[in-house]
Amino acid sequence: EAGVTQSPTHLIKTRGQQATLRCSPISGHTSVYWYQQALGLGLQFLLWYDEGEERNRGNFPPRFSGRQFPNYSSELNVNALELEDSALYLCASSRTQQNTEAFFGQGTRLTVV
Amino acid sequence: RKEVEQDPGPFNVPEGATVAFNCTYSNSASQSFFWYRQDCRKEPKLLMSVYSSGNEDGRFTAQLNRASQYISLLIRDSKLSDSATYLCVVKLNGGFKTIFGAGTRLFVKA
């Protein structure tokens, strides 16, 4: 069974540009989570999607947005990039059931120059 | 107040030491509990689930205290390879939102 896949692995953008990050969950998983992890810091929750709907949002500005498609894959869009947006962006998927864990992709490392 | 709180550390311990991490959660609807491990520049991976009766996996013991709303992870006989960040995770009942703590960093030194 394929795991959570994220693309691209690395992304370099300049300030003010837009970045689009993609995530394909494990088959059968309807929930997708996005996290930001700046170098040396902990996971910061960005967004949670389930069944195509945004369920919850972390404390990030509106230029961080995303969506979930009918096949449960997801996109994270970051507009008007700032240097501080440089981080590892991790996607996780899970089933909407008790006692089932979430699985992470390997992440997209975004560098804003 | 954060939904899941952990001491960020770092915890610096010698090989062979016993180290314990605690994690508190604020939502009483929390239903499932896990500990994850994240190695440097890698994605987090499941270390162990936490059951109501407590559970053990080799040198690792996880416990849940629902009354006080915290979970713990005990690592005995620490190895250099245990150096990592340990993340506490809760999954809520109803909606099944998964919430990750920011993690506790552990450095085990020779």
Side-chain angles (χ1 to χ4, degrees):
Chain A
E1 180 183 275
V4 178
T5 57
Q6 290 187 244
S7 63
T9 307
H10 293 84
L11 188 58
I12 299 175
K13 293 283 187 178
T14 57
R15 259 190 312 184
Q17 283 189 312
Q18 181 203 35
T20 297
L21 288 61
R22 297 180 177 82
C23 172
S24 291
I26 291 172
S27 176
H29 288 193
T30 61
S31 271
V32 171
Y33 300 83
W34 286 97
Y35 289 87
Q36 181 196 67
Q37 189 171 39
L39 192 62
L41 298 182
L43 289 181
Q44 301 296 319
F45 169 67
L46 270 163
L47 291 158
W48 172 37
Y49 292 96
D50 185 55
E51 296 284 359
E53 303 279 333
E54 182 181 302
R55 301 294 188 187
N56 200 199
R57 183 182 178 84
N59 188 25
F60 279 83
R63 57 191 187 82
F64 287 84
S65 65
R67 54 181 171 166
Q68 187 178 34
F69 299 99
N71 66 353
Y72 304 118
S73 66
S74 178
E75 262 182 13
L76 173 69
N77 294 295
V78 188
N79 293 322
L81 284 164
E82 300 178 1
L83 296 178
E84 306 80 67
D85 298 333
S86 295
L88 179 67
Y89 288 84
L90 288 162
C91 168
S93 76
S94 74
R95 296 181 189 275
T96 47
Q97 293 173 359
Q98 290 182 21
N99 301 318
T100 56
E101 68 268 30
F103 295 84
F104 280 88
Q106 291 186 313
T108 293
R109 190 162 297 282
L110 172 65
T111 303
V112 183
V113 296
Chain B
R1 183 184 171 189
K2 288 186 179 178
E3 292 178 288
V4 176
E5 293 207 62
Q6 297 182 249
D7 182 342
F11 284 56
N12 293 289
V13 303
E15 267 187 300
T18 296
V19 61
F21 306 134
N22 286 330
C23 163
T24 57
Y25 59 93
S26 60
N27 194 323
S28 58
S30 300
Q31 188 67 28
S32 310
F33 306 89
F34 310 91
W35 283 101
Y36 278 64
R37 171 192 169 128
Q38 184 178 24
D39 293 300
C40 190
R41 301 178 75 84
K42 300 279 191 180
E43 75 274 22
K45 293 185 178 178
L46 179 69
L47 177 66
M48 59 196 302
S49 301
V50 185
Y51 304 123
S52 296
S53 54
N55 49 300
E56 190 173 303
D57 183 2
R59 298 182 292 108
F60 297 83
T61 300
Q63 291 194 313
L64 166 64
N65 185 320
R66 285 190 186 273
S68 301
Q69 295 187 192
Y70 78 82
I71 67 173
S72 64
L73 177 68
L74 183 77
I75 305 176
R76 291 181 299 278
D77 189 23
S78 299
K79 312 290 185 191
L80 295 176
S81 58
D82 294 334
S83 297
T85 297
Y86 292 84
L87 299 109
C88 165
V89 182
V90 304
K91 194 164 189 176
L92 302 182
N93 199 9
F96 304 108
K97 179 184 176 184
T98 299
I99 306 167
F100 281 78
T104 298
R105 298 184 76 178
L106 171 66
F107 293 103
V108 181
K109 299 182 185 285

